Amino acid sequence: MEVLVYSKPACGYCVMAKNLLKSKGIEYEERYLDNPQAIQDFITEHPDKRSMPQIFIDGEHVGGVDQLKEKLS
């Protein structure tokens, strides 16, 4: 399973999502949106996604932490 997590600084929901993945023993790649170029790249690639985190599993958009909880339960 390939998991990609887009997150940003000072995001409590991002921390919750990453902690959930860790607690389940699931490795993930994090793309941290902490600079203008990273943010612009994200907006260009995903123009309809504004909140964080944004999580993808095997290339499929899952959503945020609540949707991740549902998917992993």
Side-chain angles (χ1 to χ4, degrees):
M1 174 183 332
E2 289 185 23
V3 179
L4 174 60
V5 178
Y6 287 94
S7 66
K8 66 180 183 176
C11 172
Y13 292 109
C14 299
V15 172
M16 287 175 23
K18 293 182 283 186
N19 286 342
L20 177 59
L21 290 166
K22 289 176 191 173
S23 75
K24 301 276 189 184
I26 299 171
E27 294 185 20
Y28 61 90
E29 175 186 345
E30 180 178 18
R31 295 198 185 153
Y32 198 58
L33 306 181
D34 62 345
N35 66 69
Q37 186 59 54
I39 293 167
Q40 186 59 47
D41 291 346
F42 176 79
I43 290 170
T44 299
E45 191 172 342
H46 306 285
D48 59 331
K49 312 222 179 342
R50 297 287 182 199
S51 62
M52 291 290 137
Q54 290 296 323
I55 303 160
F56 295 80
I57 297 178
D58 293 331
E60 177 186 331
H61 182 249
V62 172
V65 69
D66 291 335
Q67 292 81 16
L68 179 64
K69 287 177 187 176
E70 289 176 21
K71 181 109 176 148
L72 296 180
S73 63

